[in-house]
């Protein structure tokens, strides 16, 4: 028999990157006395991952529980980027309502659309929180009106569009019902959560059911399944039916059950329907599985996520410097790591190739795969990756379909022409354009995903670093023709050895270098970007012949142009079809797939002959 459990609220927090979502959670934790008065607390507490702190984004969905006015509020922090949609789609199965956080100056931003759409499709009600109203250019009325328009665009019901609005200054822990009258606490926000967002509907006496939405691991109890109890109860030591996502049933035993309080898992004797809980003791449990009553095992609908759109080839590192810096370098170690990632990263796909030590990894976007690469690199893995490529599909009429992105641009009017030309070459088409009062132009494009790959660096160059863009997956459309985005070739090292300043001074007119004097390079490594549209083999290890004339190393380097330091994202964007990126814990090296110059030259000549014959 269904009933409301009024002592619990399960909520998710939605926001665009850098709108203050994690800072608001900090304030909610502090004002519910989660921390001791003498406890040292870092900012952005839920951004526990080093990558999250460095990039300023939420990558992994995390949950915590606080108690306000004797009511437990389970809070789930959701990623704001569509590339981590696998996390978002799981989270929406655990909650009954959402807080939508928007900036008082910017209003709702493109990345907000993806997460909010998922929430509205689940039927969740929302509270709109307008944050940073102390900013000099704050325009809270615009932010609320734009948010209402967004709700209507996304097909919200009348009830969902009739949302309450709270105004906050999250850094100071203040909130209020009007922008000019804020209280010195978040009480208005807490009261609105309790009054507006519904408690969970449960079947207290029904058979136990839990849909696994997240996994954690403990060295003491092993794999831990996390999800919301739909009905019944679980207790430590009881037998449980483990129903896999494909319907396969096996029996198991629960060793420990937990709920979430403050920032920790707290062991309990029993956990009940309606709460977000953690269960240990089922070793093979996976995301989308159901844990149920062994006497009446009922499967819950498994989680479905959108299919991947981009893939990269991962392979063992076979460069001349292989094995120098990495701890895990074999194909078996790579395979084991990918299998572990699949347990928690439901939007990822792994396919083993016929060639030993080679895997195709498919994900939701370039950033999704870049985060995996950086995480593995920090764990001590050494490997190489190929250029990202889109995943094509076959339509009902057997035509070739490709993924298309909805691209949102903000550029100054002075740079609009250059950006429009760039996107025209990438098969982009304008679907909306709006001019701001300050000279900023807001443009929406539909662009093939192929055209978005490698777009960031030339876009920032064309807009002098002032442009902003965001993408959302739009859907699959018929193949839109070839795209040529390569404007420059590469400078490729001729020899293996240390780089000399003498060689670089004589070669610097050829292009921009990615190396410095003293760096070790190998034959076939990409050491710079050519100023022309073809690859050029250069000798960066050439030493000066001995003469009576001497020049100090510092004097020699003073005449050098500064080299360009590439981040992981820059390296991935730079890759072409015949390049690889060598990834180690200490280095990122661009290289040619075929290191031997004479073999590459023969291949190029052969390709030219084939083209001429056609």
């Amino acid at each position: 028999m269904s009933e409301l459990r009024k002592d619990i609220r399960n909520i998710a927090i939605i926001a665009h990157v850098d709108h203050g979502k994690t800072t608001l959670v900090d304030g909610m934790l502090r004002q519910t006395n989660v921390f001791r008065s003498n406890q040292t607390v870092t900012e952005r507490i839920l951004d526990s991952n080093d990558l999250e702190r460095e990039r300023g984004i939420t990558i992994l969905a995390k949950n915590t529980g606080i108690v306000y006015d004797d009511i437990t509020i389970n809070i789930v922090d959701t990623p704001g980027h569509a590339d981590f949609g696998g996390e978002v789609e799981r989270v929406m199965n655990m909650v009954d309502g959402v807080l939508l956080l928007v900036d008082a100056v910017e209003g709702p931003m493109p990345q907000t659309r993806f997460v909010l759409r998922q929430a509205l499709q689940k039927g969740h009600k929302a509270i709109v929180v307008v944050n940073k109203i102390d900013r000099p250019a704050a325009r809270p009325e615009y932010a609320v009106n734009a948010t209402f328009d967004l709700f209507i665009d996304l097909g919200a019901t009348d009830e969902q569009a009739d949302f309450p609005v709270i105004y906050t200054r999250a850094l100071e822990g203040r909130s209020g019902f009007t922008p000019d009258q804020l209280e010195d606490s978040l009480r208005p926000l807490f009261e609105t959560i309790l009054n507006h967002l519904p408690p969970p509907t449960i079947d207290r006496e029904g058979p136990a059911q839990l849909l696994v939405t997240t996994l954690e691991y403990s060295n003491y109890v092993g794999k831990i399944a996390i999800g919301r109890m739909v009905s019944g109860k679980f207790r430590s030591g009881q037998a449980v039916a483990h129903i896999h996502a494909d319907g396969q049933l096996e029996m198991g035993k629960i060793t420990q059950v937990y709920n979430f309080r403050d920032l920790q898992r707290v062991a309990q004797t029993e956990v009940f329907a309606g709460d977000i809980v953690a269960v240990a003791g089922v070793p093979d449990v996976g995301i989308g599985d159901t844990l149920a009553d062994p006497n009446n095992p009922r499967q819950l609908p498994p989680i479905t996520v959108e299919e991947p759109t981009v893939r990269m080839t991962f392979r063992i590192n076979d460069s001349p410097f292989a094995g120098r810096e990495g701890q895990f370098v074999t194909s078996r170690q790579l395979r084991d790591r990918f299998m572990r990632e699949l347990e928690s990263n439901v939007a990822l796909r792994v396919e083993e190739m016929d060639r030993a030590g080679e895997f195709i990894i498919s994900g939701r976007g370039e950033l999704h795969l870049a985060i995996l690469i950086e995480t593995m690199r920090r764990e001590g893995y050494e490997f190489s990756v190929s250029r990202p490529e889109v995943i094509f599909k076959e339509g009902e009429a057997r035509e070739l379909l490709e993924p298309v992105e909805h691209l949102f641009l903000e550029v100054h009017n002075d740079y609009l022409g250059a950006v429009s030309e760039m996107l025209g070459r990438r098969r982009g088409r304008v679907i909306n354009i709006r001019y701001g009062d300050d000279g900023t132009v807001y443009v929406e494009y539909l662009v093939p995903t192929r055209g978005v790959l490698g777009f960031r660096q030339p876009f920032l160059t064309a807009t002098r670093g002032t442009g902003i863009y965001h993408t959302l997956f739009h859907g699959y459309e018929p193949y839109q023709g070839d795209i040529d985005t390569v404007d420059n070739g590469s400078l490729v090292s001729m020899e293996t050895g240390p780089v000399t300043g003498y060689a670089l001074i004589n070669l610097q007119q050829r292009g921009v270098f990615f190396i410095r004097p003293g760096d070790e390079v190998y034959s076939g490594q990409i050491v710079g970007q050519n100023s022309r549209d073809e690859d050029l083999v250069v000798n960066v290890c050439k030493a000066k012949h001995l003469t009576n004339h001497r020049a100090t190393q510092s004097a020699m380097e003073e005449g050098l142009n500064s080299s360009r330091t590439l981040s992981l994202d820059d390296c991935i964007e730079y890759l072409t079809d015949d390049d690889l990126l060598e990834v180690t814990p200490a280095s990122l090296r661009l290289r040619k797939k075929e290191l031997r110059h004479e073999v590459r030259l023969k291949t190029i000549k052969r390709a030219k002959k084939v083209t001429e014959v056609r």
Side-chain angles (χ1 to χ4, degrees), residues 498-513:
V499 177
T500 65
Y502 173 75
L504 293 187
I505 283 182
N506 293 321
L507 291 169
Q508 60 184 0
Q509 72 273 17
R510 296 291 189 180
V512 179
F513 282 98

Side-chain angles (χ1 to χ4, degrees), residues 144-390:
V144 174
N145 292 336
T147 303
F148 178 78
D149 293 341
L150 176 60
F151 272 69
I152 300 304
D153 289 346
L154 296 178
T157 64
D158 292 344
E159 186 181 15
Q160 288 174 323
D162 185 21
F163 49 78
V165 181
I166 300 294
Y167 301 90
T168 62
R169 296 167 71 168
L171 268 176
E172 301 173 7
R174 301 176 63 194
S175 65
F177 297 103
T178 59
D180 52 354
Q181 291 184 338
L182 299 187
E183 297 186 14
D184 290 332
S185 71
L186 295 175
R187 185 195 66 79
L189 176 60
F190 286 125
E191 295 290 342
T192 307
I193 291 172
L194 301 186
N195 296 331
H196 183 73
L197 298 183
T201 301
I202 64 167
D203 183 359
R204 195 183 299 270
E205 302 301 325
Q209 283 181 301
L210 179 147
L211 180 66
V212 179
T213 53
T214 309
L215 293 176
E216 291 184 2
Y217 187 83
S218 165
N219 291 329
Y220 301 101
V221 296
K223 193 180 290 187
I224 299 174
I226 298 172
R228 190 175 77 172
M229 290 285 295
V230 176
S231 63
K233 62 183 179 180
F234 281 139
R235 65 180 182 277
S236 299
Q238 86 167 68
V240 65
H242 173 203
I243 308 173
H244 293 263
D246 59 5
Q248 180 185 346
L249 174 67
E250 60 183 74
M251 304 305 293
K253 182 179 179 181
I254 295 173
T255 56
Q256 186 65 61
V257 292
Y258 308 84
N259 63 8
F260 293 88
R261 286 297 175 271
D262 306 336
L263 295 171
Q264 298 175 334
R265 289 191 306 269
V266 180
Q268 303 289 333
T269 306
E270 290 181 315
V271 290
F272 302 94
D275 209 348
I276 295 176
V277 303
V279 176
V282 185
D284 298 326
V285 69
I287 290 172
D289 295 357
T290 301
L291 299 181
D293 187 333
N295 299 318
N296 188 4
R298 299 181 186 174
Q299 184 178 16
L300 292 166
I303 297 169
T304 57
V305 297
E306 292 180 12
E307 291 296 311
T309 57
V310 176
R311 64 187 180 190
M312 297 174 75
T313 301
F314 286 59
R315 52 193 276 190
I316 56 172
N317 184 19
D318 59 358
S319 82
F321 294 171
R324 288 189 178 186
E325 300 166 349
Q327 182 181 356
F328 308 108
V329 297
T330 66
S331 60
R332 180 183 59 81
Q333 290 168 330
L334 282 180
R335 183 185 183 281
D336 291 345
R337 178 63 179 82
F338 294 140
M339 294 304 110
R340 289 204 310 274
E341 186 70 22
L342 282 178
E343 293 180 353
S344 58
N345 197 338
V346 293
L348 204 72
R349 302 286 184 272
V350 177
E351 180 184 351
E352 291 191 62
M353 302 298 291
D354 295 336
R355 180 177 172 179
E358 198 166 288
F359 307 84
I360 291 181
I361 311 297
S362 305
R364 291 285 286 271
E366 206 172 347
L367 181 60
H368 187 196
L369 297 176
I371 293 297
L372 172 63
I373 293 170
E374 183 64 34
T375 302
M376 291 177 61
R377 178 190 181 198
R378 295 184 182 206
E379 293 172 355
Y381 287 85
E382 183 176 311
F383 52 96
S384 60
V385 297
S386 70
R387 180 187 191 180
E389 57 183 31
V390 302

Side-chain angles (χ1 to χ4, degrees), residues 484-554:
D484 182 16
T485 58
V486 179
D487 295 321
N488 300 91
S490 297
L491 299 175
V492 184
S493 175
M494 179 187 294
E495 296 185 0
T496 299
V499 177
T500 65
Y502 173 75
L504 293 187
I505 283 182
N506 293 321
L507 291 169
Q508 60 184 0
Q509 72 273 17
R510 296 291 189 180
V512 179
F513 282 98
F514 307 147
I515 52 172
R516 297 182 179 87
D519 291 349
E520 285 241 12
V521 297
Y522 52 80
S523 178
Q525 180 178 334
I526 296 172
V527 295
Q529 185 177 45
N530 194 2
S531 55
R532 299 186 178 183
D533 61 355
E534 58 187 5
D535 290 346
L536 179 66
V537 178
V538 295
N539 185 1
V540 293
C541 304
K542 185 177 180 180
K544 186 178 184 300
H545 293 298
L546 292 178
T547 66
N548 290 330
H549 176 69
R550 295 288 183 269
T552 64
Q553 185 69 21
S554 59

